Amino acid sequence: MTTNHDEIRKWAEARDGKPATVKSTASKDDVGLLRIDFPGYKGEGTLEEITWDEFFKKFDEKKLAFLYQNKTSSGEESRFFKFVSRETADEKKTHKAAHK
């Protein structure tokens, strides 16, 4: 899990992912729900590419953290990721530390 912009961007770009928004949630003043669009994604047509600057502005504004997996259990490259609140991320870190 991370909030580091460079780490998120490197993870996504290593998998040919691009920053995107769900078209139906965007408005003139808001980019909408964030996604990372990967080639061959079956939801094609529902996402719109945005810049990394727009992506990270919304990411920080909404106080999100990026939960991701590098490899699957079989050792394949993983594209699994999820946006979680930073508050939830901090609670999980505190909980883990308390149980060590």
Side-chain angles (χ1 to χ4, degrees), residues 15-62:
R15 292 154 176 79
D16 296 323
K18 305 223 180 291
T21 184
V22 177
K23 285 183 189 180
S24 63
T25 64
S27 68
K28 181 181 173 188
D29 300 321
D30 186 54
V31 296
L33 292 175
L34 296 177
R35 297 289 184 264
I36 294 180
D37 190 14
F38 297 105
Y41 170 68
K42 61 184 173 188
E44 258 178 65
T46 62
L47 300 181
E48 182 175 343
E49 190 174 332
I50 59 175
T51 67
W52 281 111
D53 286 342
E54 291 171 309
F55 179 92
F56 287 122
K57 181 180 178 199
K58 176 78 173 199
F59 181 82
D60 289 338
E61 202 174 88
K62 292 295 183 182

Side-chain angles (χ1 to χ4, degrees), residues 75-93:
E76 300 292 317
E77 183 177 77
S78 176
R79 290 185 179 174
F80 172 81
F81 75 94
K82 178 169 135 172
F83 296 112
V84 296
S85 76
R86 289 181 189 177
E87 191 174 289
T88 301
D90 289 342
E91 286 172 12
K92 286 183 179 184
K93 284 180 189 173

